Amino acid sequence: MRKLRVGVVGMGRLGKVHAWNIAYQIPNAELTAVCSGRAEGMDYARRELGVEAVYPDYREMLAKADMDAVVIVTTSSEHCWQIEAALDAGKHVFCEKPLGVDVAQCKLAEAAVERHPDRTFMLGFMRRYDKSYAYAKKKIEEGAIGTPYLVKATGMDPESAVQETLRYTKTSSGIFLDLGIHDIDLMRWFLGSEVTEVYAMGATFKYPGFREAGDAETGAAMFKFENGAMSMMHVGRAAPHGYHVETEIVGTDGILRISAVPEKNLAMVYNVNGACTECVGSFPERFAEAYRNELQEFVDCALKGRQPGTTVYDGTKSTIIGYATTEAWKTGKIVRI
């Protein structure tokens, strides 16, 4: 079997998930190199992944590593120049969301992708590869709920991770772009239309560090689409019960609801607290299968010379909407796109 030789740059929590999947879960891929600016990340690659080609510098990895493709899982502000550098070096590229932290960066990435039509580029909107979300999209296309006209989305990170979240908040590009980007992508995907107006609010109630960083602990937004459809989004940084994601799509003939309760599994505990179900604790746990599926799709596309469904333009459009949402929150005005 022909295998795609892959290097991973960025060995934070999600970088380790992607690297592990490439090393052990994707049959037609081989993890041949890792780049990390931290000694802990390089040690992990050697110890847990069996990778000897470990680099502290990204450009050095591009120049020296034996690889066909790069998986980029670095700080959001680094994505676009790293995409350009990898494509210009002749590599296929998978990049985690968001595409960039401003539109100018996104346009840089677009131009690089357009210069290299023979290279596969894929953006990591993994929820499209979750079996429940993919099933919902299929049912919409089959007309199961008629014409979809409203999406209601909730996404909350667990309070157990709030201190880690506070550490990167200043460089995260804000709650709506960092945390809400997946919901924004799903709204566009399910409704088949683009946002024309947004109004948003943000607040901090429990952890003032978010306010001090110029961000918000929780946020809500309403969107209007070109085709007249609507959407509502609630995002939060500190859900006490665990990682919580749910999406509802309302149509003229029915409703689809995904993950109404963020259950860890089907077990129920009966004790002094009542009848209780545990919740998933993190996004790698909830979307473990989706992360594998999207990387499998990327590898298959690169080996077969085709392009995936999630494109660089999806990244640009979602970034534009995310920034417009942030502007709407900070100005208190409806922002037209």
Side-chain angles (χ1 to χ4, degrees), residues 76-247:
S76 300
S77 59
E78 303 296 295
H79 288 179
C80 290
W81 79 262
Q82 290 178 340
I83 291 168
E84 181 182 45
L87 288 169
D88 286 346
K91 313 301 181 186
H92 303 286
V93 178
F94 173 95
C95 182
E96 259 304 325
K97 64 80 186 172
L99 178 63
V101 298
D102 59 46
V103 178
Q105 285 189 5
C106 292
K107 292 297 182 182
L108 183 76
E110 282 187 8
V113 171
E114 290 166 355
R115 280 200 307 275
H116 301 282
D118 59 326
R119 300 288 94 182
T120 293
F121 174 82
M122 182 173 175
L123 192 63
F125 283 134
M126 86 294 183
R127 291 192 202 173
R128 296 192 186 198
Y129 297 90
D130 173 77
K131 61 184 179 182
S132 297
Y133 283 95
Y135 178 80
K137 175 66 171 178
K138 181 174 180 290
K139 298 305 289 184
I140 289 171
E141 291 173 345
E142 292 173 353
I145 62 169
T147 301
Y149 64 83
L150 173 65
V151 171
K152 295 186 281 185
T154 296
M156 294 186 286
D157 279 346
E159 190 172 19
S160 60
V162 74
Q163 295 305 319
E164 179 183 353
T165 305
L166 280 166
R167 282 195 292 272
Y168 74 78
T169 295
K170 287 184 179 179
T171 59
S172 74
S173 66
I175 190 169
F176 292 111
L177 192 59
D178 177 49
L179 189 54
I181 196 77
H182 286 296
D183 295 303
I184 288 170
D185 177 64
L186 288 175
M187 293 169 193
R188 297 178 53 249
W189 195 46
F190 286 136
L191 295 173
S193 187
E194 299 297 339
V195 175
T196 58
E197 295 180 7
V198 57
Y199 177 69
M201 294 173 284
T204 298
F205 291 95
K206 195 170 183 180
Y207 294 96
F210 290 110
R211 186 188 306 111
E212 293 163 6
D215 202 2
E217 182 183 289
T218 190
M222 292 190 68
F223 304 86
K224 180 180 179 181
F225 288 76
E226 286 177 351
N227 63 1
M230 304 162 285
S231 188
M232 299 181 291
M233 178 174 71
H234 165 223
V235 287
R237 300 283 203 187
H241 57 283
Y243 181 65
H244 187 128
V245 171
E246 61 178 287
T247 309

